């Protein structure tokens, strides 16, 4: 293996480049990963588009990444061996109050340092779009080697969905609506279905409707039908047990409020939106109808292990969510494709 790492970096709006740097030394609890694929998520291409200018440059980002262990520190735990396939979790300190409670996504140390302290050579980010990286043993989950590298890279987004589904308390035979059939909408639908729910999807884009239907989901074409009226008709006027809002727009928020059943309905606000979506509701409605409005963001380490099982045992099939695979050397083209309206995940091949 090389002593250098080759990686993608955003240097300014709509400009992605490939740089090289020396591979850092690894410690006794760290491993060297030959990274094979990193999928471009909304956060990544949002900065490329100029929608996240609060994030610094140069950004060596990417976090939906998988690869194989090629070197390991002397004190790395025994279940991680050279040759194992792994995917990367969120980082956390493991020592602060939130981490000790299991809420690693709320790590106090991470909030202080994330994208605020550059590497010694001036880069920000996790070096996800890199052919090699050094990772702490805490941040790796073993993956099924029969998964493609691009599929294994879905560990992180799947974990964020697992967190939301668990907070929503989805149970078998419940009726759940997912608003939006993008990558994260369909991932929510797949995992809600894996938890036993009867899933209905609403979507306006014909390409996404076709993909969702090809995956076996019941889909309401919201470009031709009033989705609230359609849901009421499908449920004999009762509404559904829960709604997952997987698009960050005001109209979706309002539709969710009208789709849930009269009492004890639950709404998960999974997606962020820019500009900021609005939510208008009389608090008395929440009070008298006992509606739950649930926020979810990120994933805790337990969610990563749950997601790993869903992927490794092929309980969910996420292959339809991979739009295209693009080599690292064509990173600019990869970001152009990732930010194209209607596309699913673009997977950057790193080796």
């Amino acid at each position: 293996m090389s002593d250098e790492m080759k990686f993608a970096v955003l240097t300014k709006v709509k400009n992605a480049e490939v740089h090289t740097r020396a591979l850092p030394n690894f410690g006794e609890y760290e491993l060297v990963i030959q990274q094979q694929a990193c999928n471009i998520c909304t956060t990544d291409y949002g900065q490329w588009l100029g929608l996240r200018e609060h994030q610094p440059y140069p950004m060596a980002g990417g976090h939906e990444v998988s690869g194989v262990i090629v070197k390991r520190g002397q004190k790395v735990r025994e279940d991680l061996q050279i040759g194992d396939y792994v995917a990367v979790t969120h980082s956390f300190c493991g020592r602060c109050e939130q981490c000790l409670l299991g809420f690693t996504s709320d790590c106090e140390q991470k909030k202080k340092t994330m994208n605020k302290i550059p590497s010694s050579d001036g880069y920000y980010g996790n070096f996800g779009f890199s052919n090699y990286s050094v990772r702490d043993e805490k941040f790796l989950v073993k993956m099924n080697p029969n998964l493609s590298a691009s599929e294994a890279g879905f560990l992180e987004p799947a974990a964020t969905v697992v967190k939301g589904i668990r907070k929503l308390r989805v149970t078998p035979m419940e009726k759940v609506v997912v608003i939006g059939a993008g990558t994260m909408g369909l991932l929510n639908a797949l995992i809600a279905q894996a938890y036993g729910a009867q899933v209905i999807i609403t979507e306006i884009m014909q390409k996404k409707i076709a993909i969702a239907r090809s995956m076996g989901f019941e889909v309401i074409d919201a470009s031709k039908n009033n989705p609230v009226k359609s849901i009421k008709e499908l449920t004999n006027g009762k509404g559904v047990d829960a709604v997952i809002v997987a698009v960050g727009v005001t109209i979706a928020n309002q539709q969710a409020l009208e789709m849930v059943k009269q009492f004890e309905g639950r709404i998960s606000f999974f997606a962020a939106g820019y500009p900021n979506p609005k939510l208008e509701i009389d608090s008395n409605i929440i009070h008298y109808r006992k509606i739950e409005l649930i926020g979810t963001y990120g994933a805790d380490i337990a969610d990563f292990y749950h997601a790993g099982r869903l992927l490794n045992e092929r309980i969910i099939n996420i292959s339809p969510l991979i739009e295209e695979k693009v080599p690292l050397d064509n990173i600019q083209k990869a970001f152009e494709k990732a930010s194209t309206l209607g596309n699913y995940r673009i997977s950057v091949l790193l080796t």
Side-chain angles (χ1 to χ4, degrees):
M1 59 171 281
S2 173
D3 291 330
E4 283 190 333
M5 51 192 286
K6 183 169 74 170
F7 60 99
V9 57
L10 301 180
T11 59
K12 60 183 179 180
V13 174
K14 291 191 175 181
N15 191 70
E17 301 174 358
V18 176
H19 291 189
T20 59
R21 69 197 288 255
L23 185 66
N25 294 325
F26 64 100
E28 56 188 7
Y29 291 102
E30 293 180 318
L31 307 98
V32 179
I33 310 299
Q34 184 178 19
Q35 300 187 156
Q36 297 179 332
C38 186
N39 304 330
I40 300 178
C41 94
T42 308
T43 301
D44 299 319
Y45 72 72
Q47 183 173 9
W48 184 85
L49 285 170
L51 302 177
R52 290 177 173 267
E53 290 300 270
H54 59 283
Q55 295 183 174
Y57 296 98
M59 175 58 70
H63 51 267
E64 298 184 7
V65 60
S66 71
V68 62
I69 297 171
V70 292
K71 290 185 178 182
R72 62 191 299 276
Q74 292 182 344
K75 294 186 179 180
V76 168
R77 65 183 200 256
E78 286 301 312
D79 66 310
L80 292 176
Q81 296 294 328
I82 292 173
D84 284 344
Y85 287 84
V86 292
V88 179
T89 74
H90 294 162
S91 60
F92 56 93
C93 74
R95 299 182 300 275
C96 71
E97 180 180 4
Q98 293 301 314
C99 284
L100 293 174
L101 290 171
F103 302 125
T104 57
S105 60
D106 298 323
C107 174
E108 297 163 10
Q109 184 64 27
K110 180 179 177 180
K111 290 181 181 298
K112 292 178 182 178
T113 60
M114 184 177 177
N115 292 335
K116 296 175 182 177
I117 300 176
S119 63
S120 60
D121 47 355
Y123 293 99
Y124 296 88
N126 296 317
F127 293 93
F129 300 108
S130 173
N131 60 349
Y132 289 95
S133 72
V134 173
R135 305 286 180 186
D136 188 288
E137 64 172 6
K138 297 195 300 293
F139 311 144
L140 297 174
V141 172
K142 288 178 68 171
M143 302 303 292
N144 184 342
N146 292 321
L147 292 169
S148 72
S150 302
E151 289 174 314
F154 268 83
L155 176 71
E156 190 273 344
T160 66
V161 172
V162 166
K163 181 177 178 65
I165 295 293
R166 294 172 72 192
K167 290 192 71 176
L168 194 58
R169 305 187 311 281
V170 171
T171 58
M173 303 308 296
E174 284 195 316
K175 291 183 173 63
V176 175
V177 168
V178 177
I179 301 179
T183 301
M184 299 311 296
L186 289 179
L187 197 50
N188 266 282
L190 284 167
I191 294 178
Q193 187 180 68
Y195 274 66
Q198 299 177 23
V199 177
I200 306 167
I201 296 173
T202 72
E203 176 56 59
I204 60 173
M205 291 187 65
Q206 297 306 305
K207 172 184 175 179
K208 293 181 178 180
I209 290 170
I211 292 291
R213 286 176 174 161
S214 75
M215 295 170 68
F217 290 110
E218 183 170 6
V219 185
I220 294 169
D221 183 345
S223 71
K224 299 176 181 177
N225 305 284
N226 182 313
V228 174
K229 182 179 178 181
S230 297
I231 291 298
K232 291 297 180 66
E233 289 173 352
L234 288 171
T235 58
N236 297 318
K238 295 180 179 179
V240 295
D241 298 289
V243 179
I244 299 169
V245 185
V247 290
V249 293
T250 298
I251 190 171
N253 292 344
Q254 298 307 128
Q255 289 171 352
L257 291 169
E258 297 176 45
M259 288 176 179
V260 291
K261 61 188 180 182
Q262 180 65 21
F263 298 109
E264 307 287 355
R266 311 183 308 276
I267 301 173
S268 173
F269 295 93
F270 183 85
Y274 300 93
N276 297 340
K278 304 300 180 184
L279 176 68
E280 296 183 4
I281 183 171
D282 182 340
S283 62
N284 281 344
I285 293 176
I286 301 173
H287 172 72
Y288 287 113
R289 289 178 56 189
K290 294 166 279 189
I291 295 174
E292 293 183 57
L293 307 181
I294 299 170
T296 184
Y297 172 70
D300 300 321
I301 191 62
D303 303 312
F304 280 95
Y305 282 99
H306 278 275
R309 178 170 177 262
L310 291 172
L311 291 165
N312 288 337
E313 297 183 15
R314 297 190 181 275
I315 296 170
I316 59 172
N317 174 23
I318 46 76
S319 58
L321 306 183
I322 301 169
E323 180 84 22
E324 188 174 342
K325 300 177 182 181
V326 179
L328 175 60
D329 287 338
N330 292 342
I331 190 63
Q332 180 71 5
K333 181 64 67 176
F335 272 96
E336 290 171 5
K337 290 178 178 291
S339 59
T340 299
L341 186 65
N343 276 354
Y344 289 93
R345 278 297 193 264
I346 302 299
S347 186
V348 180
L349 301 183
L350 306 170
T351 57

